[in-house]
Amino acid sequence: MKDLVFDLISQEKIRQKEGLELIPSENYVSAEVLKAMGSILTNKYSEGYPSFEGIGDVDSEWSEKKITEEVLPNYRYYGGQKNVDRIERLAIDRACRLFHADHANVQPHSGAQANTAVYYAWCEPGDRILGMSLPAGGHLTHGAPVTLSAHIYDFVGYGVDSDGDIDYKDMEEKALETDPKIILVGYSAFMKIPDFKRVSEIRKKAEKKFGHEILLMADMAHVAGLIAGGVHPNPLDFGFDVMTTTTHKTLRGPRGGLILSKGNVASPLKKPARTLENIPILIDRAVFPGTQGGPLEHIIAAKAVAFGEALQPSFKKYAEQIVKNAKVLAEELKALGFVLQGGGTENHLILIDCMKSFGFDGKIYEKALDMVGLTLNANALPTDKGGAFRPSGVRLGTPAITTRGLKEAEMKILAGWMKEVADICKETETEEKLANSIDKFDKIAEKVKALALEFMVPGI
């Protein structure tokens, strides 16, 4: 008997083919990544780690040959690990090469799990962590009161300035006032490129004042693919100790997390001194057994495939096109009367102030765009007073549509459709009345569908 689940999956395939994905944290994986995710590796239990010997050699061809042919002692709690050890070593090697890291932990199930592990590796309960506040564009796992981390650690938030950039003066003042154990740069709605060098200098000032090491951490989940593609600076090149990321956004891999670090790489079985030099070992122990159990080896295999794809020259062109598309889309939207947070974008992400632009909130606009096959998400602004479920803005980006092959010409078309939808929203005034304009939405939806079907969805 055919399960209803597969009918629903078929419906989702149709939705993805006939619509255009503008949520900046979503993307499409390759057929090869899908194949690895659906492999028999899901049958294998692999608590622990493979050997780290030989990972990170300069000669990448020799390194890949070595780590896929040698059988080395491991740090696992189960037998039968020969093949998964090789796959996980390959994933670690490729991640380190992509991001100039000394070590990579490829086991976190999500970006939230990756961040949790870093906090646990370096902090004691009650320790202070300085990160971007959620209203300013930060992330839930950086101290939002509704999260577990906020109940364990003392988060202090810095903000953004009137141009939408990090308020570095605010960051420095709070770093020198609050004695943080971690200074964290990371975000989910931020359109600028951080000044990693300046943040590194702030860390040094705080360390000098308080007399202890401070972990410098970057959560680059939203721009990891841009970093891998060379169109965004890498915080690990500017003195940061740790970089966490998801693997499914601009990096175009399976849903999961990744922790990259600088420092000493050694056996995770022995507890080392809590120093920055030992942060890779501390993180390995914090992931397993500290915060999660057995790794998802089918997902780790898919990560390895995605990292291999990101190491190819074509990925650099992809990353460059993401940024080109975002900048063109932002400029077209501005020309049509949209007010953008920060005046535009330097990366893949755009934040529209719907209330200032047209007088309606982001939730109405999200629903209306969904009706025509353009998917994005309502999002709060730094100055928002409307609450999480009635925010003033929407967040959109270009990674997924760039994967499908859309370029600058299509960005101009998309901006025009978004303006048409905005005009309908102004006329209808409320979310409940959107259905009264279904004929107008249907006409736009047909045009969206026609364009979408010109561009293939990978793996479908």
Side-chain angles (χ1 to χ4, degrees):
M1 183 181 73
K2 185 178 179 182
D3 197 304
L4 177 60
V5 168
F6 296 103
D7 289 332
L8 294 171
I9 291 173
S10 295
Q11 290 299 311
E12 176 61 13
K13 284 182 180 179
I14 293 170
R15 187 195 70 83
Q16 291 190 20
K17 283 182 179 180
E18 296 182 352
L20 293 172
E21 188 58 70
L22 299 176
I23 294 175
S25 54
E26 293 194 11
N27 214 327
Y28 305 104
V29 299
S30 68
E32 289 75 16
V33 170
L34 279 174
K35 186 176 180 180
M37 278 193 285
S39 71
I40 48 84
L41 290 171
T42 193
N43 299 337
K44 190 72 193 94
Y45 217 135
S46 305
E47 283 186 351
Y49 293 97
S51 168
F52 303 134
E53 183 181 329
I55 295 177
D57 294 298
V58 175
D59 186 339
S60 60
E61 289 187 11
W62 178 85
S63 176
E64 289 202 5
K65 182 178 179 182
K66 181 173 182 176
I67 64 178
T68 56
E69 290 186 0
E70 287 201 7
V71 178
L72 297 169
N74 59 30
Y75 311 114
R76 305 284 195 186
Y77 289 82
Y78 294 83
Q81 305 294 332
K82 178 176 71 173
N83 296 311
V84 295
D85 275 0
R86 289 170 171 172
I87 290 168
E88 190 164 337
R89 282 164 54 78
L90 193 59
I92 293 168
D93 175 72
R94 290 177 177 179
C96 287
R97 282 191 278 137
L98 261 183
F99 295 104
H100 315 157
D102 293 332
H103 189 51
N105 190 303
V106 298
Q107 293 192 8
H109 303 328
S110 67
Q113 290 289 95
N115 289 342
T116 297
V118 177
Y119 303 155
Y120 183 61
W122 190 246
C123 296
E124 297 290 345
D127 279 348
R128 191 161 291 123
I129 299 172
L130 176 62
M132 183 182 284
S133 69
L134 185 63
H139 192 266
L140 279 170
T141 57
H142 303 167
V146 294
T147 63
L148 176 65
S149 58
H151 290 268
I152 300 174
Y153 309 107
D154 180 14
F155 282 84
V156 176
Y158 58 82
V160 293
D161 59 25
S162 57
D163 294 324
D165 203 353
I166 291 172
D167 189 335
Y168 294 100
K169 183 180 179 182
D170 184 36
M171 175 193 282
E172 182 170 339
E173 288 176 351
K174 286 176 177 172
L176 296 175
E177 288 172 2
T178 63
D179 189 13
K181 290 292 291 293
I182 296 175
I183 296 177
L184 170 59
V185 175
Y187 38 80
S188 60
F190 180 71
M191 287 63 65
K192 304 291 185 178
I193 294 177
D195 187 341
F196 295 120
K197 184 175 183 291
R198 186 169 179 181
V199 178
S200 187
E201 291 168 353
I202 291 171
R203 186 262 291 268
K204 290 176 184 176
K205 290 181 182 178
E207 284 184 328
K208 184 177 181 180
K209 177 176 180 178
F210 297 112
H212 63 78
E213 291 185 316
I214 297 172
L215 180 72
L216 204 52
M217 174 182 175
D219 179 351
M220 295 288 102
H222 285 265
V223 294
L226 304 185
I227 293 170
V231 296
H232 189 291
N234 183 344
L236 295 180
D237 294 338
F238 292 86
F240 278 64
D241 308 295
V242 174
M243 184 173 95
T244 60
T245 180
T246 52
T247 50
H248 55 271
K249 296 185 176 84
T250 50
L251 198 50
R252 210 159 58 177
R255 292 193 172 272
L258 172 68
I259 307 173
L260 301 137
S261 55
K262 291 283 194 177
N264 182 35
V265 182
S267 167
L269 299 180
K270 296 180 181 179
K271 185 177 181 180
R274 189 174 287 181
T275 64
L276 289 180
E277 179 62 23
N278 288 330
I279 197 65
I281 311 168
L282 293 166
I283 286 171
D284 282 344
R285 292 172 61 85
V287 173
F288 176 83
T291 56
Q292 63 183 46
L296 310 177
E297 291 295 345
H298 57 303
I299 300 299
I300 289 173
K303 290 176 185 178
V305 173
F307 300 156
E309 293 173 348
L311 284 164
Q312 303 307 309
S314 59
F315 194 87
K316 180 177 177 60
K317 293 180 181 178
Y318 164 66
E320 290 171 350
Q321 191 63 50
I322 288 175
V323 177
K324 287 178 183 177
N325 283 349
K327 289 185 175 180
V328 169
L329 181 56
E331 289 305 311
E332 289 296 316
L333 290 170
K334 285 169 63 178
L336 292 170
F338 288 80
V339 177
L340 309 184
Q341 173 69 14
T345 185
E346 295 176 5
N347 53 33
H348 67 296
L349 192 149
I350 299 166
L351 193 59
I352 298 172
D353 189 330
C354 298
M355 194 61 71
K356 279 188 180 178
S357 302
F358 304 109
F360 50 77
D361 64 51
K363 205 65 184 176
I364 293 172
Y365 197 40
E366 175 196 299
K367 184 173 180 180
L369 286 167
D370 219 20
M371 292 170 72
V372 304
L374 298 176
T375 307
L376 46 61
N377 65 279
N379 206 94
L381 299 161
T383 56
D384 222 338
K385 307 295 182 184
F389 291 99
R390 303 303 318 185
S392 297
V394 293
R395 186 184 68 153
L396 65 152
T398 54
I401 53 176
T402 304
T403 293
R404 288 178 73 169
L406 281 73
K407 293 187 177 180
E408 291 91 334
E410 287 76 33
M411 298 306 104
K412 296 177 182 181
I413 295 170
L414 288 178
W417 289 336
M418 290 180 67
K419 178 60 164 58
E420 288 183 46
V421 172
D423 289 340
I424 298 171
C425 288
K426 281 199 298 184
E427 293 171 5
T428 55
E429 297 180 341
T430 68
E431 192 174 333
E432 292 72 24
K433 293 180 180 179
L434 289 177
N436 297 337
S437 300
I438 192 66
D439 290 342
K440 294 178 182 178
F441 287 131
D442 283 347
K443 288 178 181 178
I444 302 170
E446 285 302 314
K447 291 186 282 187
V448 171
K449 179 180 175 180
L451 180 66
L453 291 175
E454 292 180 22
F455 297 92
M456 182 184 71
V457 176
I460 295 182

